[in-house]
Amino acid sequence: MSFFTDLAHQYIDGEWRPGKGSWDIIDFNPFNGEKLASIPVATAEEVDQAYRAAERAQQAWADTNPYARRTVLEKALRIVEEREPQIAEAIVAELGGTHLKAGFELHLAKEFLREAIQLALRPVGQILPSPTEGKENRVYRVPVGVVGVISPFNFPFLLSLKSVAPALALGNAVVLKPHQNTPICGGTLLAKVFEDAGLPAGLLNVVVTDIAEIGDTLLEHPVPQVISFTGSDKVGRHVATVCAANLKRAVLELGGNSALIVLDDADVDYAVDAAVFSRYVHQGQVCMAANRILVDRAIEEEFTEKFVAKVASLTVGDPADPATQIGPLINSSQAESISRLVDQTVEAGATALLHGRADGNLVSPSVLTGLPADSPVLQQEIFGPVALLVPFDGEDEAVRIANDTPYGLSGAVHTANIERGVRVGQRIHTGMIHINDGTVHDEPIVPFGGEKSSGLGRLNGESMVEAFTTQKWISVQHGRSQFPF
């Protein structure tokens, strides 16, 4: 496909060029195995070149009138809108995303670009009083300089853009490393959009590479002051450790094990719809997905019957078919891992109301219940189409079960009494929770992030200003200070 081969390059200092590594990253369609592109990996030397290019370009960009920076982002938005059908096709081909998922991702991407346009004008300074006579304290908001962005495979266009666009809007330069399974949608596609929007060379660099080639160069390099990472908590811990050792700020959006709680007074049909979407959207490859669906025993039988029936009706198949609701997992390793997890959990005593099977990278949905309280699967993130149904007796037990996880990203509570839902939600140790809705939500101006092993820091809205700028105090003494010697 020429679309993919045209973008199968490194993008460094405004130049499209092959990587100098001795091996290639192969970009496959996860549904049919078609080879989309082959990209020679970037070396540690090329990562250095990308960061140095960013460093050279950044100060002039920071000094650029923010209205001019805003204009570039406005052009980027228009380009995304004009190329939306082509980008959607790329998401279907490279990720195995369904048409529904591609539309969802692009809708959010446009909303986040619109917010980034506004962010260019958002940083404001302060003048603070001083106890010293004649002194004026000015506090400036200034760009951090260069930001390193590492994005995941599940929503690569959105989650790359989500850090890249605000960082640029606020006057920074960026080096982006997309996931190896989505180098185009998560990387070079963004570079092309911003290049065509008139972003000066060097401000956005994309390196397609792997830790096997560059080690921790991306993290340890002296130029970037902030690393924005979205991915697993295992890798996130490593990123945090390396950043701390090098005195860098890390913004970490990590995994989840969210609970969707259905209280005894909930609208069962509506809760079923919310739970099915929250668990199975994009094959369950979503950090906010409802891994655990907690149901009050008073309505367990009705909920379970309707939930299983709805899940069984989902269409599994070719993501290019608009009727498909469940497409492939990103690669064979993920598909094998999910199938093995289901088999092991059933062997350990769980009951499979639906036992999904793998056909290549397609894995049909599973629904498991009757899990032992100490089942390891209750503690972990499941990045695939597997739902765990867990009964409870009353709010207190629901809260205890929901909190019994090392994660704390998202969640939901279903109830006829909104304030009851809010009270329960306040007791869940999570960064985000939704009353009478699904668990999978993101909006441009709300603080997005998790507690515990689900991350550090927040993104979106004013949180972007906190993430990608720093404060600088300049005092002015209008009189004369008195010095003790």
Side-chain angles (χ1 to χ4, degrees):
M1 297 175 68
S2 62
F3 175 86
F4 286 94
T5 54
D6 289 347
L7 294 174
H9 304 282
Q10 310 294 333
Y11 184 70
I12 299 172
D13 204 7
E15 295 182 356
W16 296 92
R17 61 200 211 195
K20 295 181 180 178
S22 60
W23 54 285
D24 293 355
I25 285 176
I26 309 299
D27 192 13
F28 288 106
N29 178 316
F31 173 70
N32 59 23
E34 176 189 0
K35 179 180 174 181
L36 302 173
S38 177
I39 307 174
V41 295
T43 62
E45 179 185 0
E46 287 167 300
V47 172
D48 175 67
Q49 292 169 1
Y51 273 134
R52 296 300 176 185
E55 184 180 39
R56 287 192 300 272
Q58 187 270 328
Q59 190 57 57
W61 180 243
D63 292 340
T64 299
N65 188 301
Y67 284 87
R69 296 202 301 264
R70 187 178 69 169
T71 299
V72 173
L73 290 156
E74 289 171 339
K75 290 179 181 176
L77 173 60
R78 288 197 294 272
I79 289 168
V80 171
E81 290 173 333
E82 291 164 2
R83 300 175 188 174
E84 188 167 346
Q86 189 179 36
I87 298 172
E89 287 180 14
I91 289 172
V92 171
E94 190 175 46
L95 285 66
T98 63
H99 283 274
L100 174 68
K101 189 268 183 190
F104 182 60
E105 181 166 1
L106 278 165
H107 167 73
L108 281 176
K110 291 183 292 182
E111 288 299 318
F112 277 94
L113 256 177
R114 292 185 181 103
E115 172 61 12
I117 290 166
Q118 304 306 315
L119 275 178
L121 309 181
R122 193 74 55 82
V124 293
Q126 292 178 291
I127 297 180
L128 300 178
S130 171
T132 302
E133 196 66 32
K135 178 176 282 190
E136 175 185 312
N137 288 317
R138 303 180 186 181
V139 181
Y140 293 83
R141 273 279 175 191
V142 296
V144 294
V146 177
V147 176
V149 177
I150 305 171
S151 63
F153 67 78
N154 56 342
F155 281 76
F157 187 72
L158 169 65
L159 295 180
S160 293
L161 186 72
K162 188 175 174 178
S163 287
V164 168
L168 292 172
L170 293 165
N172 301 285
V174 177
V175 173
L176 166 65
K177 190 200 89 66
H179 194 279
Q180 300 90 304
N181 288 126
T182 51
I184 306 300
C185 289
T188 55
L189 175 56
L190 264 75
K192 182 61 175 171
V193 167
F194 278 102
E195 180 184 53
D196 291 350
L199 184 72
L203 289 173
L204 174 58
N205 305 272
V206 176
V207 289
V208 179
T209 189
D210 186 273
I211 194 169
E213 176 70 28
I214 64 168
D216 284 332
T217 302
L218 204 74
L219 307 175
E220 293 175 336
H221 197 281
V223 165
Q225 298 303 302
V226 173
I227 301 293
S228 178
F229 171 83
T230 304
S232 72
D233 63 297
K234 179 182 177 181
V235 178
R237 289 175 189 276
H238 178 72
V239 172
T241 300
V242 176
C243 285
N246 289 274
L247 299 179
K248 299 179 188 295
R249 188 189 309 171
V251 181
L252 306 175
E253 299 295 338
L254 308 179
N257 183 17
S258 299
L260 186 146
I261 301 171
V262 187
L263 298 178
D264 55 2
D265 60 348
D267 179 331
V268 172
D269 292 329
Y270 177 67
V272 165
D273 289 346
V276 171
F277 177 81
S278 297
R279 178 57 268 182
Y280 296 103
V281 63
H282 193 42
Q283 297 76 264
Q285 298 174 121
V286 184
C287 57
M288 296 171 282
N291 277 12
R292 300 167 298 150
I293 298 160
L294 280 50
V295 186
D296 193 290
R297 288 189 193 276
I299 55 172
E300 178 190 7
E301 184 176 348
E302 178 188 2
F303 180 93
T304 300
E305 180 182 343
K306 291 179 175 179
F307 181 84
V308 171
K310 188 173 183 70
V311 174
S313 74
L314 296 176
T315 303
V316 181
D318 185 350
D321 183 343
T324 295
Q325 294 162 304
I326 304 285
L329 296 183
I330 191 65
N331 56 42
S332 58
S333 175
Q334 286 289 111
E336 291 163 7
S337 174
I338 290 297
S339 296
R340 187 165 57 249
L341 179 70
V342 172
D343 290 342
Q344 289 172 347
T345 305
V346 171
E347 289 169 7
T351 299
L353 302 177
L354 288 176
H355 194 135
R357 303 295 180 184
D359 178 9
N361 291 343
L362 284 176
V363 180
S364 54
S366 292
V367 179
L368 307 181
T369 190
L371 293 113
D374 60 352
S375 176
V377 76
L378 290 169
Q379 296 290 319
Q380 67 190 83
E381 180 177 45
I382 306 173
F383 233 55
V386 181
L388 311 178
L389 295 185
V390 182
F392 64 84
D393 292 299
E395 291 178 16
D396 290 345
E397 187 176 21
V399 169
R400 180 189 61 76
I401 296 170
N403 286 332
D404 185 18
T405 172
Y407 298 96
L409 187 58
S410 187
V413 181
H414 280 253
T415 173
N417 184 329
I418 290 174
E419 295 309 317
R420 181 190 184 194
V422 171
R423 287 194 300 271
V424 171
Q426 287 173 329
R427 298 171 64 190
I428 309 300
H429 300 152
T430 185
M432 306 172 286
I433 198 150
H434 309 285
I435 310 306
N436 291 337
D437 210 337
T439 62
V440 180
H441 292 285
D442 198 358
E443 295 182 9
I445 64 171
V446 297
F448 182 100
E451 300 296 328
K452 302 190 284 188
S453 293
S454 288
L456 290 173
R458 296 291 186 270
L459 292 177
N460 304 356
E462 288 300 320
S463 299
M464 294 297 196
V465 178
E466 290 291 331
F468 300 128
T469 68
T470 189
Q471 292 177 301
K472 185 169 187 172
W473 171 33
I474 296 181
S475 74
V476 178
Q477 177 51 271
H478 292 285
R480 294 174 68 86
S481 289
Q482 299 297 316
F483 301 102
F485 55 88

